[in-house]
Amino acid sequence: MRWKSNKRGEKMGHNANLISIDALTEAELRALITRGQAFVDGAEAMALPRHACVCTLFFEPSTRTKLSFQRAAQRLAVDLLSFDVATSSTSKGETALDTMRNIEAMGVDVFVVRHKEDGTVDALAAGAMPTTRFVNAGDGRSNHPTQALLDMLTLQQSKGDDFSRLRVAIVGDVKHSRVARSDYQALSLLGVEDIRICGPQALLPDPAEMPRATFVDRLDEALSGVDVVMTLRLQRERMEAGLIDSLEGYHAAFGITQARMTGAKADAIVMHPGPMNRGVEIEDAVADGAQSRILQQVRNGVFARAAVLERALSRAHE
Amino acid sequence: MRWKSNKRGEKMGHNANLISIDALTEAELRALITRGQAFVDGAEAMALPRHACVCTLFFEPSTRTKLSFQRAAQRLAVDLLSFDVATSSTSKGETALDTMRNIEAMGVDVFVVRHKEDGTVDALAAGAMPTTRFVNAGDGRSNHPTQALLDMLTLQQSKGDDFSRLRVAIVGDVKHSRVARSDYQALSLLGVEDIRICGPQALLPDPAEMPRATFVDRLDEALSGVDVVMTLRLQRERMEAGLIDSLEGYHAAFGITQARMTGAKADAIVMHPGPMNRGVEIEDAVADGAQSRILQQVRNGVFARAAVLERALSRAHE
Amino acid sequence: MRWKSNKRGEKMGHNANLISIDALTEAELRALITRGQAFVDGAEAMALPRHACVCTLFFEPSTRTKLSFQRAAQRLAVDLLSFDVATSSTSKGETALDTMRNIEAMGVDVFVVRHKEDGTVDALAAGAMPTTRFVNAGDGRSNHPTQALLDMLTLQQSKGDDFSRLRVAIVGDVKHSRVARSDYQALSLLGVEDIRICGPQALLPDPAEMPRATFVDRLDEALSGVDVVMTLRLQRERMEAGLIDSLEGYHAAFGITQARMTGAKADAIVMHPGPMNRGVEIEDAVADGAQSRILQQVRNGVFARAAVLERALSRAHE
């Protein structure tokens, strides 16, 4: 999970792919946050190569993330293609690599890829032409770097750009969550020292994956004095798989409610990557309340992704 | 079913949503018809806000209406997003309101919404930000205001802008038709005094819904001396539900044929909202004949919708 | 299968549809190849009518061909609509002709049509307005003219524009292939005298269809001394239908391998219309080897189609 290292990339000392947060330096991550904020504040995109083209290549359906990237591409006024492999009747047994290479040959500069298997985006990037860029729109349980970027942008808007003193709780199904992994990496890179992970035992990752984090059993303890609560979507499949007993039980133990939030700082903010299961991982009063930054996250998503695409496109033909 | 009344809208004394014809004044409706005709005549759209964005949000599939709105948005050279909730695998149990609010946060100025339930568009508009506009592309049996607008534009092209002396027959499954309801409202607003409703008893609405209309049993009586025949699509489900006996019987009693049209005025025109069931509600000779305005309706649809979107967008950020 | 002959077309002495290669003169075909090459070399499109619109109207799914046409339309900076009839829930029993006429009325200048039945594109063109143009994106087993155009462009890039001395083998399921038919026509028009057809007996067309071709039983004989090998996708349905015994047997007899290619000229090139069945009609070493022009074909496809659309659009309103 590194930046794609092709000869040109190495020579240039940078690479404009975004496959994982881990592959970014802190300076690169902060530059993306800053550029995202500039778009929020009304900046126009830089001039990009004529006929520059972004293609969303989704092997796993996600209308919401796709729309966000499409809107970001519109902000940049570049050409846009969309290929939904999941619903396409024409993949015809072709490999993901052949599919990508074919569309690449049509003149695509940046692929935005979602895939249900870990590492696929990296593998596609490794098989592409050296000038083609890749943005990971979510792969397996590993990475969702643009979600982490928009989360950091949202967090900075409320808490400023000194992340070092923040206390952050990540609550829920951390084990299966690429959002949580990418957020953990971004928080770490930005210097957050107090990262708490909280959820049912069966939904917790191997602590070795998140060495800087503190694993906390009880939600009250996790929320105590925090500045930020990041709650995660609970897939209903977890209950069917027997990993949790009931949605009601989950809500009682780990649902973010106004009552629970009294333990956090008075100005704590609540984030959720969407779509929400209202009444499961979060109650309406919090989701729609003053501490919620959930729609602000969505709004920032377009601008954060515009920053990522602009970075990729401005270097696509270097 | 009123214009969305938010504080800014009230202060401005207008509202640029289009949720039902009933919520328009006659002057507003005539202004939209006039602007639609200007587009037909080659007028270019006014300058709209940079990055202005229209999103078609269809909870019920309708490729044809969606394409018409897309082409209208292209005429205005604005950004376009499309979210087909019906076929999306990613609504994931989310409420329509949450779906709308999420896409709204991505920077959408105007939603074009179709939904199978009455009143949903109104409900979404009520839950949106005050600056977001809504255009109803058909909800339940209640409203299809842009269809009525394009019908009035088509009618004016043939019969002039004095609607008061026109005789109009609306024939078919009026009970289940949002087209018929919106057309009735538009005809009433424009001063048509002779509106005749004709169809099988089981497919007629409560007369109290259409107080200005005359309910006529026999088609010959309905067509006698009329200037305009508006025929409606017969959903095959009506037969399956036992509301009509057979398609053949329906055609014999209520199908628009050249023989039947001899009772209408010699220069009477025939309209149909499409898609047609040829040989059921209309015979080929009429559908493709000189009195047919059916393709002209489709053509006008793009321009009428461009007028509606332009109106909504030019006020989206007021 | 002729150019659509409407009054204006006849008067002008040309017609800007592209329904079959057979309907082109050699000069017209060479002009399209030349224009495609100009686009490859960086030429910009000519100025096209304001609001010019291309609509892909696919009655048979093909994401890959559709994307190629979309990218071509983006090169021309024209408006684009897409209607996938195969997956649409709203065709509602309407005829193909009614569907086309409705979308045409929305202001479409050029339809790009794919249909599983032979002759449908021609039939739609005959039913359209005289100013509307049609590009055949594949119909039945008959024609796929833009594939042949991009193949000829690819061939010319490697072998120059004197086609007369070339030796070309077309290998595989020629019987069911619209690609093979269009390639045969294009090769013939450009003066290729040595065209060899090779495949299992059950997958060979009537020789009367391809009078200039030599039918060859054994692959080694077909490849002997050739400049160009055009291999075709083997539909797995052929095996299910009993036309071939096994994929392994097919590969052994007709698969293009490096070992087989030793019989061809040392600088022979290999083409495939995609998507490939690796290990069936072609082995990896050839598909990804130095003689392969497969991705170059895809690249050329966008530019060849841009040439076709530009030709159609520049004459759409004459």
Side-chain angles (χ1 to χ4, degrees):
Chain A
M1 302 291 151
R2 290 286 138 189
W3 289 113
K4 176 186 155 198
S5 52
N6 56 62
K7 275 178 187 149
R8 300 210 58 149
E10 285 165 2
K11 199 175 64 190
M12 291 186 299
H14 66 68
N15 188 303
N17 286 351
L18 179 54
I19 294 176
S20 77
I21 292 289
D22 261 358
L24 290 172
T25 64
E26 181 183 349
E28 286 173 319
L29 176 56
R30 287 192 181 270
L32 284 170
I33 297 171
T34 300
R35 187 62 181 152
Q37 182 62 48
F39 282 131
V40 172
D41 296 336
E44 290 296 332
M46 63 176 68
L48 296 168
R50 196 165 162 76
H51 301 305
C53 181
V54 170
C55 179
T56 58
L57 178 62
F58 276 41
F59 294 88
E60 187 182 68
S62 172
T63 311
R64 183 190 287 259
T65 302
K66 192 172 64 184
L67 283 174
S68 180
F69 273 105
Q70 288 178 344
R71 193 77 189 106
Q74 290 175 342
R75 287 269 157 188
L76 304 182
V78 296
D79 291 339
L80 178 68
L81 293 177
S82 281
F83 187 8
D84 293 333
V85 185
T87 58
S88 167
S89 53
T90 54
S91 54
K92 294 174 178 172
E94 197 184 39
T95 65
L97 196 59
D98 273 343
T99 298
M100 181 280 290
R101 280 179 174 156
N102 265 277
I103 305 173
E104 181 185 40
M106 294 178 195
V108 167
D109 301 294
V110 178
F111 281 100
V112 175
V113 184
R114 170 164 289 203
H115 201 286
K116 70 173 187 290
E117 284 173 32
D118 300 303
T120 303
V121 185
D122 218 37
L124 290 177
M129 293 189 286
T131 50
T132 306
R133 303 306 183 195
F134 285 78
V135 174
N136 189 344
D139 68 324
R141 301 176 183 181
S142 302
N143 292 287
H144 196 349
T146 62
Q147 178 72 41
L149 177 60
L150 74 90
D151 286 347
M152 297 306 113
L153 172 55
T154 306
L155 212 156
Q156 178 172 300
Q157 287 168 346
S158 288
K159 300 297 173 190
D161 63 5
D162 179 2
F163 285 71
S164 66
R165 290 162 186 256
L166 294 178
R167 296 172 183 176
V168 181
I170 304 179
V171 179
D173 181 9
V174 178
K175 182 172 184 173
H176 301 92
S177 173
R178 52 196 175 207
V179 174
R181 282 183 180 75
S182 283
D183 273 334
Y184 169 80
Q185 292 171 15
L187 292 167
S188 300
L189 196 58
L190 295 171
V192 178
E193 291 183 359
D194 186 347
I195 305 176
R196 307 171 193 180
I197 303 292
C198 178
Q201 277 299 327
L203 300 180
L204 291 180
D206 182 343
E209 276 195 70
M210 299 183 176
R212 293 173 67 126
T214 309
F215 284 69
V216 179
D217 284 336
R218 290 178 42 255
L219 183 60
D220 287 340
E221 191 182 344
L223 299 189
S224 173
V226 295
D227 300 280
V228 182
V229 180
M230 297 177 140
T231 180
L232 301 170
R233 178 175 174 79
L234 183 78
Q235 304 285 351
R236 279 155 203 278
E237 301 91 288
R238 307 300 170 234
M239 190 175 60
E240 290 148 21
L243 298 179
I244 59 167
D245 289 334
S246 72
L247 297 180
E248 294 71 20
Y250 181 87
H251 183 67
F254 300 100
I256 306 300
T257 62
Q258 284 196 310
R260 298 288 202 162
M261 285 298 293
T262 56
K265 282 191 185 163
D267 64 352
I269 62 172
V270 175
M271 300 169 80
H272 188 292
M276 288 182 280
N277 288 309
R278 290 169 172 273
V280 182
E281 69 263 13
I282 192 166
E283 71 173 5
D284 287 353
V286 176
D288 305 323
Q291 293 176 291
S292 170
R293 293 295 179 276
I294 297 173
L295 288 177
Q296 189 178 329
Q297 288 173 277
V298 178
R299 195 168 303 117
N300 286 330
V302 172
F303 298 112
R305 284 164 180 137
V308 168
L309 292 178
E310 185 190 52
R311 176 174 179 265
L313 282 164
S314 62
R315 298 177 178 185
H317 295 295
E318 279 179 11
Chain B
M1 298 293 152
R2 291 284 140 191
W3 290 112
K4 176 187 156 199
S5 53
N6 56 62
K7 276 181 187 147
R8 301 211 58 151
E10 284 163 3
K11 199 174 64 189
M12 292 187 298
H14 65 69
N15 188 302
N17 287 349
L18 180 55
I19 293 176
S20 77
I21 293 289
D22 260 358
L24 290 172
T25 63
E26 181 182 349
E28 287 172 320
L29 176 55
R30 288 194 181 268
L32 284 170
I33 297 171
T34 300
R35 188 61 182 153
Q37 183 62 48
F39 282 132
V40 172
D41 296 337
E44 290 296 332
M46 62 176 70
L48 295 169
R50 196 166 164 76
H51 302 306
C53 181
V54 170
C55 180
T56 59
L57 179 61
F58 275 41
F59 294 89
E60 187 182 69
S62 171
T63 311
R64 184 191 287 259
T65 302
K66 192 173 64 183
L67 283 174
S68 180
F69 273 106
Q70 287 178 346
R71 193 76 189 106
Q74 290 174 342
R75 286 269 157 188
L76 304 182
V78 296
D79 291 340
L80 180 67
L81 292 177
S82 282
F83 188 9
D84 293 334
V85 186
T87 58
S88 167
S89 53
T90 53
S91 53
K92 295 174 177 171
E94 198 183 38
T95 66
L97 196 60
D98 273 343
T99 298
M100 181 279 291
R101 280 180 176 156
N102 265 279
I103 304 172
E104 181 185 39
M106 294 178 196
V108 167
D109 301 293
V110 178
F111 281 100
V112 175
V113 183
R114 171 164 289 205
H115 201 287
K116 69 172 187 292
E117 285 174 31
D118 300 302
T120 304
V121 185
D122 217 38
L124 290 176
M129 292 188 286
T131 50
T132 306
R133 302 307 184 196
F134 285 78
V135 175
N136 189 344
D139 68 324
R141 302 175 182 182
S142 301
N143 292 287
H144 196 349
T146 62
Q147 178 72 40
L149 177 61
L150 73 89
D151 286 347
M152 297 307 113
L153 172 56
T154 306
L155 211 156
Q156 178 172 300
Q157 287 167 347
S158 288
K159 301 297 173 190
D161 63 4
D162 179 2
F163 285 70
S164 65
R165 290 164 184 252
L166 294 178
R167 296 173 184 173
V168 182
I170 303 178
V171 179
D173 182 8
V174 178
K175 181 173 184 172
H176 302 93
S177 173
R178 53 195 174 208
V179 173
R181 280 183 182 75
S182 284
D183 274 334
Y184 169 81
Q185 293 171 14
L187 293 167
S188 300
L189 197 57
L190 295 171
V192 180
E193 291 183 358
D194 186 348
I195 305 175
R196 306 171 193 179
I197 303 293
C198 180
Q201 277 299 326
L203 300 181
L204 291 180
D206 182 344
E209 275 196 70
M210 301 184 176
R212 293 173 67 128
T214 308
F215 284 69
V216 179
D217 283 338
R218 290 179 42 253
L219 183 59
D220 287 340
E221 191 184 343
L223 299 189
S224 173
V226 296
D227 301 278
V228 182
V229 181
M230 298 177 139
T231 181
L232 301 170
R233 177 175 176 81
L234 184 78
Q235 305 285 352
R236 278 153 204 278
E237 300 91 289
R238 307 299 171 234
M239 190 174 60
E240 291 148 20
L243 297 178
I244 60 167
D245 288 336
S246 72
L247 296 180
E248 294 71 20
Y250 181 86
H251 182 67
F254 300 101
I256 307 299
T257 62
Q258 284 195 309
R260 297 289 202 161
M261 284 299 293
T262 56
K265 281 192 186 163
D267 63 353
I269 62 171
V270 176
M271 300 169 79
H272 188 293
M276 288 182 281
N277 289 308
R278 289 168 172 273
V280 181
E281 69 262 13
I282 192 165
E283 72 173 7
D284 287 353
V286 176
D288 305 323
Q291 293 177 291
S292 171
R293 294 295 179 275
I294 297 174
L295 288 176
Q296 190 177 331
Q297 288 172 274
V298 178
R299 195 169 301 118
N300 286 329
V302 173
F303 298 112
R305 285 164 180 138
V308 169
L309 292 178
E310 185 190 51
R311 177 174 178 264
L313 282 163
S314 62
R315 298 177 178 183
H317 295 298
E318 280 180 9
Chain C
M1 301 291 151
R2 291 285 139 190
W3 289 114
K4 176 187 155 199
S5 53
N6 57 61
K7 275 179 187 149
R8 301 210 58 149
E10 284 164 3
K11 199 175 64 188
M12 292 186 298
H14 65 68
N15 188 305
N17 286 350
L18 180 56
I19 294 177
S20 76
I21 292 290
D22 260 358
L24 291 173
T25 64
E26 181 182 349
E28 287 173 319
L29 176 54
R30 287 192 183 269
L32 284 170
I33 297 172
T34 300
R35 187 64 182 150
Q37 183 62 47
F39 281 132
V40 172
D41 296 336
E44 289 297 332
M46 63 176 70
L48 296 169
R50 195 165 164 76
H51 301 306
C53 181
V54 170
C55 179
T56 59
L57 179 60
F58 276 40
F59 294 89
E60 187 182 70
S62 172
T63 310
R64 184 191 285 260
T65 302
K66 193 172 62 183
L67 283 174
S68 180
F69 273 105
Q70 287 178 345
R71 193 78 190 105
Q74 289 174 342
R75 286 267 156 189
L76 304 182
V78 297
D79 291 340
L80 179 68
L81 292 178
S82 282
F83 187 9
D84 293 333
V85 185
T87 58
S88 167
S89 53
T90 54
S91 53
K92 295 175 177 170
E94 198 184 37
T95 66
L97 195 59
D98 273 343
T99 298
M100 181 279 291
R101 280 181 174 153
N102 265 278
I103 305 172
E104 181 184 38
M106 294 178 197
V108 167
D109 301 294
V110 178
F111 281 101
V112 175
V113 184
R114 170 163 290 203
H115 202 287
K116 69 173 188 292
E117 284 174 31
D118 300 302
T120 303
V121 186
D122 218 37
L124 290 177
M129 293 188 285
T131 50
T132 306
R133 303 307 184 194
F134 285 78
V135 174
N136 189 345
D139 68 323
R141 301 176 183 181
S142 301
N143 292 287
H144 197 349
T146 62
Q147 178 72 40
L149 177 61
L150 73 90
D151 285 348
M152 297 307 112
L153 172 56
T154 305
L155 212 155
Q156 178 172 300
Q157 286 167 346
S158 287
K159 300 297 173 189
D161 63 5
D162 179 2
F163 284 70
S164 66
R165 290 163 185 254
L166 293 179
R167 297 172 183 175
V168 182
I170 304 178
V171 179
D173 181 8
V174 179
K175 181 172 185 173
H176 302 92
S177 173
R178 54 193 173 209
V179 174
R181 282 183 180 76
S182 283
D183 274 334
Y184 169 81
Q185 293 172 15
L187 292 166
S188 300
L189 196 58
L190 295 170
V192 179
E193 291 182 359
D194 186 347
I195 305 176
R196 307 171 192 180
I197 303 293
C198 179
Q201 278 299 326
L203 300 181
L204 291 180
D206 181 345
E209 275 195 70
M210 299 183 176
R212 293 173 68 128
T214 308
F215 283 69
V216 179
D217 283 336
R218 290 178 42 253
L219 183 59
D220 286 340
E221 192 183 344
L223 299 189
S224 173
V226 296
D227 300 279
V228 182
V229 181
M230 296 176 141
T231 181
L232 300 170
R233 177 175 175 80
L234 183 78
Q235 304 286 350
R236 278 154 204 278
E237 301 90 288
R238 307 301 169 233
M239 191 175 59
E240 290 147 22
L243 297 179
I244 59 167
D245 289 335
S246 72
L247 297 180
E248 294 71 21
Y250 182 87
H251 182 68
F254 300 101
I256 306 299
T257 62
Q258 283 196 309
R260 298 289 203 162
M261 284 300 293
T262 56
K265 281 191 186 165
D267 64 352
I269 62 171
V270 176
M271 299 168 79
H272 188 292
M276 289 183 280
N277 288 309
R278 290 170 172 272
V280 182
E281 69 262 14
I282 191 165
E283 71 173 7
D284 287 352
V286 176
D288 304 324
Q291 294 176 290
S292 171
R293 293 295 179 276
I294 297 173
L295 287 177
Q296 189 177 331
Q297 288 172 276
V298 178
R299 195 167 304 117
N300 286 330
V302 172
F303 299 112
R305 284 164 180 137
V308 169
L309 292 179
E310 185 190 51
R311 177 175 179 264
L313 281 164
S314 62
R315 298 175 178 185
H317 295 296
E318 279 181 10

